[in-house]
């Protein structure tokens, strides 16, 4: 019986896949047009890539990936893009962890908390 239950847990992981900020963002002081995505796989990490173009302009790409984040769990590494230095970060510490938690309304924070709550006890 206990064996059967373990099989069930393996077959239907309790945790939902993480939610990440996704898309391509052109930043000039603030980030623009950021959308969100629920990753398709439990093993996915949120990532973001940021490259400094000038002191004011940043190019940033973000989304879900398990492949790109294989060797880069919950940390940032320096990478170069098009001759510019950039940062490549991966995380799975929580929903939307691949960006600063700015721009999130109190209501959204509240609903995220309820979501976490449901996930733990659901
Ligand atoms: C990228 O994600 C890291 C966490 O992994 C976060 O600290 C950083 O602020 C993010 N960068 C941008 C440009 O949002």
């Amino acid at each position: 019986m206990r064996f059967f239950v373990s099989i069930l847990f393996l077959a239907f992981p309790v945790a939902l896949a993480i939610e990440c900020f996704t898309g391509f963002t052109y930043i000039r002081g603030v980030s623009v047009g950021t959308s969100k995505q629920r990753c398709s796989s439990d093993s996915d990490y949120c990532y973001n890539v940021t490259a400094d173009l000038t002191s004011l302009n940043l190019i940033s790409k973000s989304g879900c990936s398990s492949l790109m984040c294989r060797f880069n769990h919950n940390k940032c590494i320096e990478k170069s893009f098009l001759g510019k230095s950039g940062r490549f970060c991966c995380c799975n510490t929580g929903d939307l962890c691949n960006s600063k938690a700015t721009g999130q309304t109190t209501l959204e924070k509240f609903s995220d908390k309820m979501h976490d709550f449901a996930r733990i006890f659901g």
Side-chain angles (χ1 to χ4, degrees):
M1 181 60 193
R2 186 172 285 174
F3 177 74
F4 182 67
V5 171
S6 332
I7 293 288
L8 267 181
F9 269 94
L10 284 178
F12 303 101
V14 181
L16 284 167
I18 198 167
E19 193 177 20
C20 301
F21 281 113
T22 177
F24 194 81
T25 320
Y26 181 67
I27 304 170
R28 198 187 179 109
V30 283
S31 65
V32 192
T34 322
S35 54
K36 299 172 189 177
Q37 174 192 350
R38 177 74 59 189
C39 298
S40 55
S41 160
D42 276 351
S43 56
D44 277 354
Y45 282 71
C46 297
Y47 76 90
N48 68 37
V49 179
T50 314
D52 278 295
L53 297 185
T54 69
S55 53
L56 264 182
N57 296 318
L58 290 173
I59 291 264
S60 171
K61 176 145 178 28
S62 54
C64 299
S65 180
S66 50
L67 206 67
M68 285 167 65
C69 293
R70 259 168 326 185
F71 305 122
N72 192 23
H73 292 173
N74 289 310
K75 64 182 180 188
C76 298
I77 54 173
E78 298 293 323
K79 273 200 155 194
S80 63
F81 305 95
L82 311 163
K84 304 284 182 184
S85 71
R87 269 159 70 84
F88 172 48
C89 303
C90 287
C91 60
N92 68 347
T93 50
D95 285 346
L96 309 176
C97 63
N98 60 338
S99 181
K100 294 171 215 111
T102 51
Q104 218 186 12
T105 65
T106 311
L107 188 66
E108 276 175 331
K109 274 180 192 159
F110 179 72
S111 89
D112 278 352
K113 281 278 166 294
M114 293 313 286
H115 187 106
D116 289 344
F117 194 81
R119 185 188 297 182
I120 292 164
F121 295 101

